[in-house]
Amino acid sequence: QGRTGTKLSDFGDYTGSKELTDILQLTNNSLSDVRLSPDGRHIHVILRKPKAGLVTFDKHERGQLVQNQKKLDLWSTRPVPIVDILYLDHNDNNSVSKRDTAAVAVVYENGKAEFWKFQECKAGWHLLQTSDLCNSPRARVVSVCACSNLIIWCEERPPSESSPALSSTRNKLRYCVCRRDFDVEEGVVSLGGVKIALHNNPKFTVVSSGEYVHLLPDLKVKPLLSISKFFLSWSPRHDSFRISTTCKNTPLKKFSAKESDFKRLVTDSLGYLSTLEPPEIYNFSPTGCGGLLLLLSTGWLCLLQKDGMLRQVFKQADNCLVKYGTHTSLCMYQDTLALLVGQNLHVVDVNCGRELEKIVLEREGLLYANRAERRLLVEAVFEEACKYYQQRSLSSTQLTVDTLKKGGRFQAPISLASILRNYFSLMGSLEAELKALVALEDVKGSLVRGSAKEVEVVCESLVEKEVARLLSSSELDKETLLYLNSIFSIFPCQAWRAAQAALQLHYNGEGSLSSKAPPDVWKTVLTALPVFELLCHSVFHFQPSWLPRFLEAAQQQQGSAGLGLGGEGGENNVPLYKRALCVLSSLGLDRDQHQDLEVELLLVSGRPNAILQAMRVLMAKQEWERVTQVAQKFCKQSPLLNKEIFTTLLCEVAHHRDLDPYLDLLWTLCPEDLSVTTILNLVLKSLPSPNTPSSSSSSSSFSMSTTTSSSPAPFAGPHSSQLTIGLLKPLLRKVLQVTGNSLTSPHMPHSPVLWLFRCQILICLKLKLCLFSVTKQFLLESDRVSHCYFS
């Protein structure tokens, strides 16, 4: 369960899922006895009551093998309890590709160990061998772990019957910590001899983390002695011990592991330890890189770093302190800690200790970390090193990962050491890329063994990963672009869905398309030709109505990323709307089929020339209501564009009468700085010749035409397309009012009426009409405003 949501599983992809669900739901079953393999493909449950045994549940990649799978269920194999089950690394060649191989060791209290191997190709688990871990048949194993190629355990060695009775203290120190090398190869387990790392010690829980093994006090009983006030950290590689306590942030003492007697190691520290009252350790979890998470009785969640420093990370609220015996689970995921107390899950930032979220679960649970990814990444590093140096090797012998690890034939050990020396820093910078690479190779491999339906699903997943990888690339060369183009050509449906996922496109159903893709992805889309064109083509093919919105989203990303595109010069500086229009024109569709889409693309661009071009297209289609809507919207964009739109429409008014129903709206769009003289000049220049033949629909420079009167001059018919002064009066009066009716202007007569009269005369002269009717109209108007004129 994470911060982004909850991912639930019914374990349907595991064999025996119903039985597993029943076991996990049993209230008397201890969750601490559930084990998950590092690759997440195997679940083992150690049963103790009422019947002891081990039950396994396996996840298969190929469903047809599930029915014939051989489970590892150990119910009555041995009458003694199971201590633990260990997941062992194997050294088979090409271990990345052999994911169906896993080895485990089932360790019993009497020191017996059974080694099992899982092979999916052979339908399940197979017993490799049974061995005795301990030298003494009377020894009892109390805890066990695996560290690198070592099996390490703590065993109890009871005294012989002939030895005298032991004191209470001596009785507590009857344990020892032992180790044995192991190697699993080609179905055989090779065990080295038993070596005692520490003896005469109390009962320890051995915990493996990276190259360290931590020896913790027994957590199942409350500590009573001073020897339980501290714990040890042992490095088999460096052959050294550290003594630490939970109330100090630095180790108390460091010493060589050559001294293996516990009593001698701690003698010097007992006096100091007796004065301390360190908090108890309630729970722990290895971090996988040498560190250890510790949950203390004080409520503090601490991180024991591999250098021995104990750092306090997070403290629970005082009213939520953990009580002894409360079910807890903790785990570390990179820079995030997860602490589960009962049903409360705390998500904590490791770096600052801030609680990121608190989630209440429906029931108690366990936290696990999938450590297979890092192992796979190690293999990927080795394989890349093999490939790199094989190309430069003079030897014809094929270099393998196995020979590289064993140092058999590798001819450049210094170069390899340089690579692996910086391995952890490499993991930090390339981990995401390596994960993607490994996952992609797994997908490719599964294509050869799936059914038709499975291949289809894998194919879609593969296309999605490839498109995401390519769009995230900082640079795309010619070959890569051809590869991307072929993906969109061969898998158009899958590529469209992959593009949606990579760009994180979301359509809200109200005409808005949003994208949450990183800027780097959009930079690749907008700068690498012809990625943007490929996506436009895909959008048009599957969601044509999205194309204008896609262009709008691309322009927003272009502006926010500061890519500096959009100039008119150069192939790479072609505006995005022109690139989208080129895609539209290249489809070979009939112009009427995509003209509406073309208009939308021009308008979405927001560029003045494109908007005027869109208006011309709309006027050619005689969609006058749409023309006025566009004019009203974009006249607000800038004064210059306002003037261009208005003059364009005014010229149209002079040509025909189709815009008459919208004149009141058009006159409101007149720029304030436009003079009457300018308006008259525009009208006079745009008036068509009365002798020009035309149709009922207008025709101008935008394919409009005028209709001349069928009546003889000077009278116009009722359906004439000629412009009248009555239509222009509201506009001219509006302009005169804006200019303030100034009488001092050398360009204006002494009266607005005279000015209108002059307008009438000029227009009528242009139309070659008789002045009689005009003069009569003027005299009638002069009488009504004579008081203004003669004043």
Side-chain angles (χ1 to χ4, degrees):
Q1 192 165 24
R3 299 187 65 198
T4 57
T6 304
K7 183 177 181 182
L8 299 177
S9 171
D10 60 356
F11 303 106
D13 47 354
Y14 286 85
T15 56
S17 57
K18 178 64 170 60
E19 182 184 3
L20 174 60
T21 304
D22 293 341
I23 290 177
L24 294 178
Q25 289 179 347
L26 290 177
T27 55
N28 60 347
N29 180 59
S30 174
L31 286 176
S32 60
D33 288 328
V34 179
R35 303 289 182 266
L36 181 69
S37 65
D39 59 4
R41 299 184 63 203
H42 308 282
I43 298 176
H44 293 91
V45 182
I46 301 174
L47 302 179
R48 305 192 187 278
K49 295 180 181 180
K51 187 178 181 181
L54 175 70
V55 186
T56 185
F57 306 92
D58 309 301
K59 180 190 290 186
H60 287 264
E61 293 185 355
R62 289 175 287 181
Q64 61 269 24
L65 295 180
V66 173
Q67 295 179 353
N68 301 323
Q69 183 250 338
K70 182 180 179 181
K71 296 180 65 181
L72 172 55
D73 293 347
L74 306 175
W75 292 96
S76 57
T77 306
R78 300 187 183 279
V80 293
I82 295 174
V83 179
D84 213 337
I85 180 170
L86 307 179
Y87 299 98
L88 309 177
D89 294 330
H90 53 81
N91 298 325
D92 291 335
N93 295 342
N94 302 321
S95 56
V96 172
S97 60
K98 293 188 177 181
R99 295 185 60 207
D100 63 345
T101 304
V104 300
V106 182
V107 181
Y108 295 85
E109 277 192 5
N110 62 357
K112 297 289 184 179
E114 293 179 350
F115 295 90
W116 295 79
K117 191 172 186 178
F118 179 82
Q119 292 177 295
E120 187 172 340
C121 59
K122 296 183 180 179
W125 292 92
H126 301 272
L127 180 63
L128 298 180
Q129 68 188 60
T130 301
S131 304
D132 289 316
L133 280 185
C134 308
N135 281 338
S136 171
R138 300 181 61 206
R140 185 176 69 93
V141 178
V142 295
S143 65
V144 64
C145 70
C147 177
S148 185
N149 65 329
L150 296 174
I151 295 179
I152 298 166
W153 69 94
C154 179
E155 67 176 46
E156 180 185 13
R157 289 189 171 181
S160 61
E161 296 179 357
S162 59
S163 61
L166 301 177
S167 63
S168 175
T169 303
R170 174 80 180 275
N171 194 41
K172 298 290 184 182
L173 302 178
R174 64 177 186 271
Y175 299 85
C176 64
V177 177
C178 306
R179 54 177 281 186
R180 290 187 76 168
D181 299 336
F182 76 90
D183 188 26
V184 182
E185 189 169 6
E186 297 180 356
V188 177
V189 180
S190 302
L191 289 174
V194 177
K195 297 180 181 178
I196 297 179
L198 196 65
H199 59 91
N200 293 328
N201 53 268
K203 183 179 180 180
F204 278 136
T205 300
V206 293
V207 184
S208 171
S209 178
E211 63 180 38
Y212 285 87
V213 177
H214 303 283
L215 311 180
L216 303 179
D218 184 13
L219 305 186
K220 296 181 181 179
V221 296
K222 280 204 168 189
L224 301 175
L225 302 174
S226 60
I227 55 176
S228 299
K229 293 184 177 182
F230 60 91
F231 58 91
L232 303 179
S233 296
W234 169 37
S235 172
R237 177 181 174 186
H238 297 98
D239 202 26
S240 62
F241 280 104
R242 286 195 309 252
I243 300 180
S244 302
T245 181
T246 56
C247 60
K248 288 188 65 68
N249 59 358
T250 57
L252 299 181
K253 186 179 180 182
K254 297 180 181 180
F255 46 85
S256 171
K258 293 179 181 179
E259 177 57 75
S260 60
D261 187 275
F262 174 79
K263 291 184 291 183
R264 294 180 181 177
L265 292 179
V266 300
T267 298
D268 296 340
S269 306
L270 286 178
Y272 175 72
L273 289 171
S274 63
T275 64
L276 300 178
E277 290 297 333
E280 301 173 29
I281 299 175
Y282 277 0
N283 205 346
F284 61 87
S285 174
T287 64
C289 58
L292 191 67
L293 289 176
L294 296 174
L295 179 62
L296 305 182
S297 57
T298 56
W300 273 104
L301 182 60
C302 300
L303 174 60
L304 177 68
Q305 301 174 163
K306 64 180 181 179
D307 60 0
M309 297 293 294
L310 184 65
R311 182 165 67 89
Q312 293 179 328
V313 178
F314 170 72
K315 189 179 189 301
Q316 296 177 277
D318 292 338
N319 58 345
C320 300
L321 290 180
V322 182
K323 297 181 181 179
Y324 186 80
T326 302
H327 172 72
T328 60
S329 182
L330 51 156
C331 197
M332 185 170 176
Y333 306 92
Q334 294 183 349
D335 291 336
T336 304
L337 290 177
L339 170 62
L340 186 60
V341 180
Q343 296 174 225
N344 296 318
L345 176 62
H346 305 268
V347 183
V348 181
D349 189 321
V350 174
N351 299 315
C352 62
R354 182 171 63 92
E355 184 177 41
L356 302 176
E357 191 170 359
K358 181 180 178 180
I359 304 170
V360 179
L361 306 181
E362 293 184 0
R363 57 182 298 138
E364 295 178 346
L366 284 178
L367 300 170
Y368 288 101
N370 191 333
R371 298 185 179 90
E373 292 181 352
R374 184 161 295 274
R375 180 180 63 81
L376 291 173
L377 295 180
V378 174
E379 297 293 337
V381 171
F382 273 103
E383 286 190 344
E384 189 65 23
C386 273
K387 178 180 177 182
Y388 181 81
Y389 286 105
Q390 187 70 51
Q391 294 173 352
R392 290 155 178 78
S393 175
L394 298 178
S395 173
S396 60
T397 304
Q398 183 66 33
L399 181 64
T400 66
V401 172
D402 191 54
T403 56
L404 182 66
K405 287 182 176 179
K406 294 181 178 179
R409 302 174 188 173
F410 192 57
Q411 301 299 314
I414 297 177
S415 301
L416 176 64
S418 177
I419 293 176
L420 299 182
R421 181 181 58 196
N422 298 319
Y423 165 69
F424 287 105
S425 61
L426 179 67
M427 287 299 100
S429 59
L430 298 180
E431 186 167 6
E433 287 77 5
L434 289 173
K435 283 181 180 178
L437 176 64
V438 172
L440 188 59
E441 291 301 320
D442 289 341
V443 172
K444 290 178 180 178
S446 60
L447 283 173
V448 299
R449 62 173 185 262
S451 63
K453 187 175 182 180
E454 290 172 339
V455 168
E456 183 180 353
V457 173
V458 171
C459 180
E460 181 159 352
S461 176
L462 177 61
V463 170
E464 180 176 346
K465 292 178 184 297
E466 287 289 73
V467 170
R469 181 178 66 85
L470 294 173
L471 294 184
S472 301
S473 177
S474 58
E475 293 184 3
L476 297 178
D477 54 22
K478 182 179 179 180
E479 289 74 15
T480 308
L481 287 171
L482 289 174
Y483 174 48
L484 181 63
N485 188 65
S486 66
I487 290 177
F488 275 82
S489 300
I490 300 172
F491 308 102
C493 296
Q494 293 88 345
W496 162 238
R497 287 191 286 268
Q500 284 182 273
L503 295 176
Q504 301 180 43
L505 295 178
H506 175 69
Y507 189 74
N508 66 357
E510 299 177 357
S512 177
L513 189 69
S514 62
S515 169
K516 296 183 179 180
D520 290 344
V521 174
W522 273 106
K523 184 177 180 181
T524 301
V525 170
L526 300 179
T527 58
L529 294 171
V531 178
F532 178 71
E533 285 75 6
L534 275 175
L535 294 174
C536 284
H537 188 280
S538 187
V539 171
F540 176 81
H541 186 72
F542 293 98
Q543 288 287 352
S545 62
W546 286 18
L547 189 56
R549 306 284 76 82
F550 177 71
L551 172 62
E552 187 176 37
Q555 290 179 153
Q556 291 174 354
Q557 294 294 331
Q558 186 184 70
S560 62
L563 298 178
L565 300 182
E568 298 295 338
E571 185 182 26
N572 292 332
N573 288 328
V574 177
L576 292 178
Y577 82 94
K578 288 189 176 182
R579 295 171 65 180
L581 287 173
C582 286
V583 173
L584 205 59
S585 61
S586 68
L587 297 174
L589 302 174
D590 184 80
R591 183 173 178 81
D592 293 336
Q593 289 182 272
H594 67 266
Q595 216 167 36
D596 291 339
L597 205 54
E598 177 184 338
V599 169
E600 288 298 321
L601 292 175
L602 290 168
L603 296 177
V604 163
S605 73
R607 291 170 173 260
N609 290 337
I611 294 169
L612 293 173
Q613 183 181 346
M615 290 188 63
R616 293 187 188 102
V617 174
L618 292 173
M619 288 188 292
K621 297 176 66 178
Q622 301 181 29
E623 297 184 7
W624 304 115
E625 184 173 359
R626 182 81 171 108
V627 168
T628 55
Q629 290 174 353
V630 171
Q632 191 175 18
K633 176 181 179 181
F634 288 97
C635 275
K636 303 174 184 178
Q637 183 168 303
S638 71
L640 184 60
L641 182 57
N642 184 8
K643 187 173 182 180
E644 289 288 339
I645 292 175
F646 179 77
T647 54
T648 299
L649 295 178
L650 187 59
C651 292
E652 280 297 302
V653 171
H655 277 81
H656 55 82
R657 304 278 56 81
D658 294 334
L659 278 168
D660 287 2
Y662 308 99
L663 289 182
D664 291 342
L665 171 62
L666 295 184
W667 300 155
T668 62
L669 303 180
C670 179
E672 294 183 358
D673 61 344
L674 205 63
S675 66
V676 174
T677 304
T678 303
I679 293 175
L680 285 175
N681 287 334
L682 286 171
V683 172
L684 293 174
K685 289 179 182 179
S686 303
L687 286 174
S689 171
N691 298 323
T692 303
S694 62
S695 61
S696 59
S697 296
S698 50
S699 175
S700 66
S701 58
F702 314 124
S703 302
M704 303 299 170
S705 64
T706 63
T707 303
T708 58
S709 174
S710 60
S711 304
F715 303 102
H719 301 293
S720 172
S721 64
Q722 294 175 352
L723 179 65
T724 66
I725 286 298
L727 297 173
L728 282 180
K729 276 182 181 179
L731 173 63
L732 297 175
R733 284 197 178 104
K734 175 180 182 296
V735 175
L736 288 172
Q737 289 171 0
V738 172
T739 57
N741 294 328
S742 173
L743 298 179
T744 60
S745 172
H747 304 291
M748 291 183 63
H750 295 292
S751 168
V753 177
L754 291 177
W755 188 251
L756 293 177
F757 177 59
R758 181 186 177 191
C759 297
Q760 292 171 340
I761 293 175
L762 291 173
I763 295 173
C764 290
L765 286 174
K766 178 71 175 178
L767 297 177
K768 298 181 182 180
L769 299 177
C770 178
L771 289 177
F772 174 77
S773 60
V774 178
T775 307
K776 181 180 177 181
Q777 181 183 4
F778 166 69
L779 291 175
L780 291 174
E781 293 184 1
S782 298
D783 290 340
R784 290 197 297 270
V785 291
S786 59
H787 64 282
C788 176
Y789 174 67
F790 290 108
S791 63

